[in-house]
Amino acid sequence: MKRTGQLLKWMTLLFFAIALYATTIGQAISIEFAEGHHKHLFYDIFLRGLPLVILLTLLWTIKKKRKRLVNIGIGILTTIAAIGMFFWSILLMYSFSYGAWVNKAIIYRNKKNPEVTVNQQSWDIGVFGYAGERTVKITPFLELWNRVEDIDTTKIDRSEWDLLK
């Protein structure tokens, strides 16, 4: 039983670490999911799992050696946090889970590495339409992700790229 408790503890801490990274630093780095459905799956698991994981922390935060009043306080605060995270996750669902950059056109393809492209993209927010555009160089990264860099097509070295548009 103790081993199961330790496993649950480390799984919840890992989930919190991934969630914290995904909503902070992960939003600022230039690596994105290559496929929109992978992104949606990741954020759906994150948003739906967060309240559950918060409630799971009760299993390893409430201890017999603590006073009963302290355990009751921990239980109440954890439940309030889980309810708050449930409503917060509903709000985040629209900004993280449903929007995605969609390729409108591939403008250039790299001559040496054809998988590296320069794309014109639009931010698709589903039924809410499109919210912006960008031109980026996309480099595949470990098959699941793309390294994305903003690029100015007027300054591109055309000897390295084939124009497709």
Side-chain angles (χ1 to χ4, degrees):
M1 183 67 177
K2 185 174 181 164
R3 191 176 292 269
T4 304
Q6 286 291 59
L7 181 65
L8 280 173
K9 177 181 180 179
W10 287 108
M11 284 175 53
T12 57
L13 289 174
L14 178 64
F15 189 94
F16 285 135
I18 291 170
L20 183 64
Y21 174 80
T23 57
T24 56
I25 298 167
Q27 297 298 310
I29 65 170
S30 64
I31 296 176
E32 300 175 354
F33 283 100
E35 297 290 330
H37 66 274
H38 291 135
K39 176 186 178 219
H40 295 303
L41 178 64
F42 173 81
Y43 283 110
D44 282 345
I45 290 169
F46 158 63
L47 293 171
R48 291 186 177 134
L50 197 56
L52 178 65
V53 170
I54 290 171
L55 287 174
L56 280 175
T57 62
L58 283 173
L59 296 175
W60 55 271
T61 55
I62 293 178
K63 298 184 177 168
K64 288 182 180 180
K65 61 184 172 184
R66 288 194 181 124
K67 293 183 180 180
R68 187 174 193 192
L69 191 59
V70 171
N71 280 334
I72 290 171
I74 289 171
I76 290 170
L77 288 174
T78 303
T79 303
I80 289 170
I83 291 168
M85 291 308 269
F86 173 74
F87 288 110
W88 184 62
S89 68
I90 289 172
L91 295 172
L92 286 178
M93 200 176 300
Y94 292 102
S95 61
F96 288 128
S97 186
Y98 293 123
W101 287 106
V102 178
N103 290 335
K104 283 178 56 179
I106 299 175
I107 303 169
Y108 291 99
R109 185 173 309 278
N110 190 285
K111 289 181 180 180
K112 292 179 185 172
N113 185 356
E115 291 188 12
V116 178
T117 59
V118 174
N119 296 15
Q120 182 73 35
Q121 297 183 327
S122 293
W123 180 250
D124 181 5
I125 46 178
V127 297
F128 300 113
Y130 293 93
E133 291 192 356
R134 70 180 185 178
T135 302
V136 290
K137 174 183 164 189
I138 296 179
T139 308
F141 177 70
L142 298 177
E143 291 186 34
L144 251 160
W145 297 280
N146 288 330
R147 176 166 275 127
V148 179
E149 301 172 50
D150 286 327
I151 192 164
D152 183 359
T153 56
T154 61
K155 297 179 181 174
I156 199 166
D157 182 3
R158 298 189 190 223
S159 66
E160 296 178 11
W161 299 89
D162 287 325
L163 179 65
L164 301 177
K165 190 174 177 183

